[in-house]
Amino acid sequence: QVQLVESGGGLVQAGGSLRLSCAASGRTLSTYAMGWFRQAPGKEREFVAAINWSGRNTYYADSVKGRFTISRDNAKNTVYLQMNSLKPEDTAVYYCAAVATTDWNTRHYFNEYDYWGQGTQVTVSS
């Protein structure tokens, strides 16, 4: 069983930056592929970014490509999402997710993940 806890959310002006963290406990994250998703009020949860177990393969939604960077530190059992050039449309609750796999691929759909954090709110003001 993996427990995931997100942190780093907050209120930021458009154009600003935030760094989200997802800390894991219960199991080492080094054998898990990880992802970030977000959900805005009245909208479905959407994929943001994913990273494979080694950190060598990453994938991004078109809406965040070039602005967001996903990374991981397996020694710290933590995954990060660096968000730059934030826009009001990035406002949402951000969730991290994990699935046990050591293949090369990243996972882009919410039903591919087994473990979820509680979410952290990101609000971008215009």
Side-chain angles (χ1 to χ4, degrees), residues 26-123:
R27 294 282 178 89
T28 175
L29 277 186
S30 61
T31 57
Y32 288 77
M34 302 295 295
W36 285 96
F37 290 75
R38 66 187 182 187
Q39 188 165 19
K43 295 187 177 182
E44 294 185 350
R45 191 170 299 192
E46 66 171 355
F47 168 78
V48 175
I51 190 166
N52 75 342
W53 69 276
S54 69
R56 295 190 180 95
N57 188 14
T58 59
Y59 187 82
Y60 298 91
D62 288 343
S63 59
V64 306
K65 201 172 296 182
R67 300 188 297 122
F68 290 11
T69 302
I70 188 171
S71 62
R72 64 190 301 158
D73 186 338
N74 286 341
K76 294 183 177 180
N77 240 23
T78 303
V79 176
Y80 304 98
L81 185 68
Q82 178 67 43
M83 305 186 296
N84 298 329
S85 302
L86 282 161
K87 304 175 181 180
E89 51 263 44
D90 294 319
T91 295
V93 177
Y94 282 71
Y95 300 89
C96 70
V99 58
T101 178
T102 55
D103 66 23
W104 174 253
N105 299 321
T106 55
R107 302 295 191 270
H108 315 152
Y109 300 99
F110 73 91
N111 59 2
E112 296 184 284
Y113 288 89
D114 296 321
Y115 302 100
W116 292 83
Q118 83 291 346
T120 185
Q121 176 70 46
V122 171
T123 303

